[in-house]
């Protein structure tokens, strides 16, 4: 029994971290049609900046608050000066650009902070453990489990009820029509790209106390995030949430129950979803 | 006209000859190094480069090897076998290096080893621990200066034999290194202490190297009936594992824990006081393992120049350069075949202690150290106290056991 509960919590906390990263990826794709390979690098940058602020200011919360907007600012520059000239062209240009950005950012981080691993301590209030039957469970992981749905709900409310959210959805659905009725699509695209980067960096900052901060930490997570996005449905918001939960739980229960194929499970699920529902669980039919 | 040009021609020829002659006399000895210099494990390559640079500068300051300066060329194999093979070929054919050193990944080492026969160039492996390169794959040109899996795990088994644990499990990376560590641990421990049992592989934990969230593996081991766990994770994996396992109560004293590479300084430096106390940890070289003048001088010089304690990978690269220099001196030449002959059976004093390269399988035999993690107010990272030292001959498998046949 305690094994099952621990597995559920393990799966949920990992799933929520995946959700934060995937939701930025899927939003950028859904609205702009851009598949951002550098998303994982923005995640990594969020973790490094959080670490740097913790070193300077001694507070994890300030790192969480100040790091992600800096990454979003960088994203504004990237969108305005690198991505924008490519919108009219073949999609492969975008892929090449974001892939190049990924290499550039990964090496840039290594130039600034070196190749060593770094450790960020969680804030005191979240650093403890709570008893879980005969074991203990870290408070920080429970914090992640709670935070994920909160962020998800806030995003959903934003898209469903606010004027900005509705405009965004309109622009995603039909860009030309939105422009005709007076939506300033280019500004909106910049905002969406920055917002996606902010989410990635937030995920990175939240991951920092949980895993070692090192170069290429984004490469690991971006692959799983892509699987989440494809399983959930490209551009789908609830899809990212459900996809992340499934992948998180699959990894925790798979490790215990099916250790031999644990590594292959996400890919098997991916293949299954693509065969039966090629647009993903929550993808809309054409 | 003729008379006017003749002196110029003669003078040019003289200059050419002189510079040509000078060129051969001062032609530097070239050493090629292959390490992981990018990606998540880049910190290992960085330490190795520092160790190699230190050794080369020491040698050059004293007039070089047999009067010739030493030059280094570093390459990044990114931990991939095909890249490793390509780079070693490039170093030999294009850069015309006199010897190749390095290699972090066991996979790359196993792939490059057979190629050395074709390249007829000495290779000194400084990090990869896979048994095969001085075992079933051994050949005339391949040497290893650092401890192998067998040697390190033999020490783990000796320590485990003195602990109370009866049922052992493992957490190891899901590739040959993790599985071979577990295999040899079972083999050696069951010989030393016949009563112990081992969990089957399916009940042990083998997280893939890309894992960053180890919670599921930790839960699995904690809920198993093992009361002893040998951990062969290393680098970033080990850092993540230790932090997450601490929070989940893994180190609550209910089980004995051994970490075969827990005393790596890159890990201890990242973890600092997050490394639990009283855990048995191993490494390939520990900077406080002995008080010999040569070790003290090495640690001091390293600390002064790079502001950190030398890691085992730094020592490996340092040791390989020093072994090459000793072999060249013994042979009185840098001819590749003569270097190989000189390396076979070479004995030299290294920071790790007296070391002999066994002629039959080319594996270096040096003493090993394990210890329990402890705090020392004077040092920012965990140290080993108490330490246990093992004689090289007691932890090294016999040549027959390694399966190495040179001819």
């Amino acid at each position: 029994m305690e094994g099952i509960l621990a597995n559920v919590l393990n799966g949920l906390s990992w799933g929520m971290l995946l959700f934060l990263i995937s939701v930025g990826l899927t939003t950028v794709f859904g609205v702009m049609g851009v598949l951002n390979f550098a998303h994982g690098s923005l995640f990594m940058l969020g973790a490094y900046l959080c670490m740097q602020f913790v070193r300077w200011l001694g507070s994890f919360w300030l790192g969480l608050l100040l790091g992600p907007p800096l990454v979003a600012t960088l994203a504004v520059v990237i969108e305005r000066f690198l991505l924008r000239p490519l919108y009219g062209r073949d999609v492969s240009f975008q892929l090449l650009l974001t892939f190049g950005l990924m290499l550039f950012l990964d090496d840039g981080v290594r130039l600034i902070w070196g190749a060593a691993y770094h450790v960020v301590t969680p804030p005191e209030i979240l650093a403890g453990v709570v008893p879980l039957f005969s074991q203990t469970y870290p408070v920080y992981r429970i914090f992640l489990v709670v935070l994920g749905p909160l962020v998800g709900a806030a995003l959903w409310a934003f898209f469903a009820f606010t004027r900005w959210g509705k405009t965004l959805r309109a622009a995603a659905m039909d860009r030309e029509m939105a422009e005709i009725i007076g939506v300033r699509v280019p500004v909106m695209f910049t905002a969406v790209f920055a917002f996606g980067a902010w989410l990635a960096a937030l995920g990175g900052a939240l991951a920092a106390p949980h895993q070692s901060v090192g170069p290429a930490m984004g490469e690991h997570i971006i692959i799983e995030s892509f699987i989440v996005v494809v399983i959930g449905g490209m551009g789908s918001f609830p899809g990212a949430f459900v996809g992340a939960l499934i992948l998180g739980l699959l990894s925790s229960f798979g490790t215990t129950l099916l250790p031999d194929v644990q590594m292959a499970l996400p890919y098997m699920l991916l293949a299954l979803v693509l065969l039966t529902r090629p647009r993903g669980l929550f993808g809309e039919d054409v | 006209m003729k008379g006017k040009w003749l002196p110029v021609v003669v003078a040019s020829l003289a200059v050419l000859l002189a510079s040509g002659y000078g060129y051969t006399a001062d032609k530097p000895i070239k050493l090629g190094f292959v390490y992981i210099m990018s990606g998540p494990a880049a910190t290992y390559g960085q330490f190795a480069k520092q160790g190699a640079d230190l050794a080369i500068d020491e040698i050059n300051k004293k007039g070089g090897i047999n009067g010739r300066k030493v030059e280094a060329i570093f390459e990044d194999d990114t931990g991939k076998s095909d890249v490793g093979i390509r780079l070693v070929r490039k170093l030999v054919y294009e850069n015309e290096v006199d010897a190749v050193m390095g290699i972090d990944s066991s996979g790359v080492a196993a792939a490059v080893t057979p190629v050395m026969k074709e390249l007829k160039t000495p290779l000194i492996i400084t990090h990869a621990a896979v048994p095969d390169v001085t075992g079933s794959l051994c050949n005339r040109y391949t040497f290893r200066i650092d401890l192998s899996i067998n040697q390190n795990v033999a020490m783990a088994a000796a320590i485990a034999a003195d602990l109370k644990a009866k049922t052992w499990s493992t957490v190891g990376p899901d590739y040959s290194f993790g599985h071979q560590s577990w295999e040899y641990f079972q083999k050696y421990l069951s010989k030393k202490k016949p009563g112990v049992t081992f969990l089957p592989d399916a009940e042990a934990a083998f997280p893939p190297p890309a894992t960053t969230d180890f919670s599921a593996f930790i839960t699995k081991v904690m809920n198993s009936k093992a009361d002893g766990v040998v951990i062969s994770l290393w680098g970033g994996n080990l850092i993540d594992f230790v932090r997450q396992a601490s929070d989940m109560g893994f180190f609550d004293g209910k089980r004995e824990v051994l970490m075969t590479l827990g005393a790596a300084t890159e890990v201890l430096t990242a973890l600092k006081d997050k490394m639990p106390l009283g855990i048995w940890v191993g490494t390939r070289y520990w900077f406080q393992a002995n008080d010999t003048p040569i070790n003290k001088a090495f640690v001091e010089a390293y600390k002064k120049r790079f502001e950190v304690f030398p890691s085992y990978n730094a020592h490996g690269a340092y040791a390989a350069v020093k072994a090459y220099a000793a072999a060249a001196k013994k042979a009185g030449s840098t001819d590749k075949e003569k270097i190989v002959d000189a390396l076979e059976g070479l004995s030299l004093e290294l920071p790790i202690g007296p070391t002999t390269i066994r002629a039959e399988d080319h594996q270096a035999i040096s003493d090993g150290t394990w210890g329990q993690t402890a705090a020392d107010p004077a040092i920012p990272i965990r140290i080993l106290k108490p330490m246990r030292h093992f004689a090289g001959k007691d932890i090294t498998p016999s040549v027959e056991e390694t399966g190495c046949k040179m001819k």
Side-chain angles (χ1 to χ4, degrees):
Chain A
M1 181 56 212
E2 62 178 274
I4 295 179
L5 187 62
N7 269 332
V8 169
L9 285 173
N10 292 341
L12 287 181
S13 51
W14 175 237
M16 283 307 112
L17 212 50
L18 272 182
F19 167 65
L20 286 176
I21 299 138
S22 319
V23 74
L25 195 64
T26 207
T27 306
V28 167
F29 180 80
V31 175
M32 307 167 64
V34 171
L35 203 52
N36 186 10
F37 270 112
H39 200 71
S41 304
L42 300 171
F43 162 85
M44 173 193 65
L45 213 51
Y48 268 99
L49 285 175
C50 178
M51 175 197 82
Q52 194 57 58
F53 280 117
V54 170
R55 279 190 192 166
W56 279 338
L57 310 170
S59 158
F60 171 75
W61 299 112
L62 284 175
L64 197 62
L65 199 72
L66 299 174
L70 273 182
V71 178
T73 312
L74 175 71
V76 169
V77 176
I78 292 173
E79 198 278 342
R80 179 64 191 80
F81 295 103
L82 300 175
L83 213 46
R84 193 175 288 184
L86 301 182
Y87 285 145
R89 302 206 193 174
D90 191 79
V91 75
S92 57
F93 282 88
Q94 290 173 6
L95 290 183
L96 280 176
L97 173 76
T98 57
F99 190 75
L101 271 174
M102 178 184 93
L103 299 177
F104 180 80
L105 289 174
D106 284 2
D107 260 12
V109 155
R110 220 155 55 82
L111 279 179
I112 298 174
W113 285 284
Y117 305 102
H118 305 276
V119 162
V120 176
T121 323
E124 216 157 290
I125 190 171
L126 301 175
V129 293
V130 288
L132 182 83
F133 298 103
S134 65
Q135 307 174 0
T136 55
Y137 205 78
V139 176
Y140 192 78
R141 280 182 166 267
I142 295 170
F143 165 71
L144 288 179
V145 174
V146 177
L147 190 72
L150 285 181
V151 172
L155 287 174
W156 174 76
F158 169 77
F159 278 102
F161 300 120
T162 66
R163 190 187 157 79
W164 255 84
K166 286 179 189 168
T167 321
L168 274 175
R169 276 160 55 214
M173 240 176 259
D174 193 331
R175 184 182 166 161
E176 273 177 33
M177 186 54 99
E179 271 186 320
I180 288 166
I181 59 170
V183 176
R184 292 171 66 196
V185 172
V187 176
M188 184 174 281
F189 271 27
T190 310
V192 166
F193 194 74
F195 179 63
W198 180 81
L199 279 171
L202 186 72
L206 286 169
H210 167 274
Q211 62 179 79
S212 55
V213 177
M217 65 186 281
E219 274 173 34
H220 296 324
I221 206 150
I222 193 71
I223 297 172
E224 290 213 41
S225 304
F226 270 122
I227 298 178
V228 165
V229 169
V230 174
I231 288 176
M234 307 275 288
S236 160
F237 207 71
F241 189 78
V242 174
L245 277 189
I246 294 179
L247 223 63
L249 291 171
L250 203 63
S251 111
S252 67
F253 280 97
T255 300
T256 314
L257 304 175
L258 298 163
D260 290 338
V261 291
Q262 180 260 342
M263 242 175 120
L265 283 175
Y267 303 97
M268 282 152 75
L269 179 69
L270 181 68
L272 192 73
V273 168
L274 285 176
L275 282 172
T276 51
R277 288 187 64 98
R279 307 217 135 240
L281 296 175
F282 288 77
E284 278 148 34
D285 293 323
V286 179
Chain B
M1 268 320 248
K2 257 183 214 162
K4 195 180 162 192
W5 279 103
L6 193 65
V8 182
V9 172
V10 171
S12 328
L13 270 174
V15 169
L16 270 174
L17 275 172
S19 65
Y21 176 77
Y23 184 67
T24 21
D26 289 328
K27 194 178 149 200
I29 293 170
K30 279 195 205 166
L31 302 179
F33 294 85
V34 179
Y35 285 107
I36 302 177
M37 314 286 272
S38 62
T43 179
Y44 285 86
Q46 200 178 10
F47 268 108
K49 182 172 186 304
Q50 294 176 350
D53 283 342
L54 185 66
I56 290 170
D57 289 354
E58 280 178 17
I59 289 168
N60 283 342
K61 231 174 259 168
K62 287 186 189 152
I65 296 174
N66 301 345
R68 288 165 63 194
K69 292 269 173 214
V70 182
E71 241 180 51
I73 302 166
F74 291 91
E75 296 289 357
D76 176 12
D77 68 19
T78 67
K80 295 192 182 85
S81 304
D82 56 327
V83 181
I85 293 176
R86 196 176 72 225
L87 287 174
V88 170
R89 284 214 171 97
K90 181 219 150 218
L91 283 169
V92 171
Y93 290 132
E94 213 176 298
N95 304 105
E96 298 178 335
V97 296
D98 295 285
V100 180
M101 297 169 183
I103 306 190
D104 293 301
S105 154
S106 286
V108 179
V112 165
T113 294
V115 180
M116 300 323 289
K117 280 191 281 192
E118 161 205 330
L119 298 175
K120 301 202 184 306
T121 301
L123 163 71
I124 306 179
I125 295 170
T126 68
H127 182 188
V130 55
D132 309 358
V133 297
T134 51
S136 57
L137 290 174
C138 75
N139 63 48
R140 175 169 162 77
Y141 298 95
T142 306
F143 297 82
R144 170 163 47 208
I145 198 77
D146 67 314
L147 295 181
S148 67
I149 290 183
N150 315 62
Q151 292 168 317
N152 192 10
V153 170
M155 293 188 273
I159 286 166
D162 294 340
L163 299 174
K164 283 194 293 275
K166 290 217 155 52
T167 308
W168 284 86
S169 181
T170 193
V171 184
D174 194 9
Y175 68 99
S176 59
F177 177 74
H179 290 279
Q180 282 179 328
S181 296
W182 179 228
E183 183 193 323
Y184 284 106
F185 181 76
Q186 297 182 57
K187 190 175 150 195
Y188 295 148
L189 182 55
S190 52
K191 222 182 273 172
K192 276 191 186 302
K193 198 178 177 187
V196 294
T197 52
F198 302 93
L199 291 188
D201 279 13
E203 286 174 42
F206 289 102
T211 308
T212 50
D213 182 356
F214 290 87
S215 57
F217 300 96
I218 296 163
T219 299
K220 188 178 175 189
V221 173
M222 287 177 76
N223 285 320
S224 75
K225 53 181 192 296
D227 56 356
V229 186
V230 57
I231 293 164
S232 61
L233 297 172
W234 57 279
N237 282 163
L238 186 60
I239 296 168
D240 289 349
F241 175 85
V242 168
R243 292 181 67 207
Q244 293 165 16
S246 300
D247 286 348
M248 292 173 77
F250 185 82
F251 303 107
D252 57 4
K254 284 184 196 151
R255 55 192 68 75
E256 311 277 7
V257 180
L258 305 177
M259 297 180 187
T260 61
L261 288 174
T265 52
E266 40 277 89
V267 171
L268 294 175
T269 304
L271 284 170
K272 298 205 176 68
D273 61 346
K274 299 281 176 303
M275 184 70 172
L277 296 167
I279 305 289
W280 280 103
V281 289
T283 178
R284 313 245 165 80
Y285 159 79
W286 178 246
F287 65 97
Q288 291 182 325
N290 68 61
D291 285 334
T292 60
I294 187 168
N295 189 41
K296 272 192 181 156
F298 169 64
V299 175
E300 248 165 59
Y302 195 95
K303 184 93 199 327
K304 199 172 153 214
R305 182 156 162 192
F306 305 112
E307 291 168 352
V308 285
F309 293 110
S311 73
Y312 71 76
N313 217 25
H315 179 269
Y318 182 89
V321 175
K322 289 295 169 99
Y324 181 87
K329 206 174 156 195
K330 183 175 154 193
S333 154
T334 53
D335 175 74
K336 288 174 178 174
E337 298 298 332
K338 285 185 185 148
I339 288 284
V340 168
D341 291 338
L343 279 171
E344 287 188 333
L346 178 76
S347 286
L348 77 162
E349 176 81 17
L350 290 170
I352 195 175
T355 301
T356 302
I357 299 176
R358 191 155 66 179
E360 292 85 356
D361 65 348
H362 295 183
Q363 171 64 47
I365 298 177
S366 15
D367 296 351
T369 303
W370 270 61
Q372 264 181 308
T373 47
D376 180 341
I379 291 178
I381 61 174
R382 291 285 190 243
I383 57 154
L384 307 189
K385 200 176 176 183
M387 282 189 263
R388 275 186 70 175
H389 303 284
F390 298 86
K393 62 175 173 35
D394 296 337
I395 54 172
T396 310
S398 67
V399 178
E400 297 76 58
E401 249 180 285
T402 65
C404 167
K405 287 188 188 71
M406 282 287 166
K407 295 280 145 56

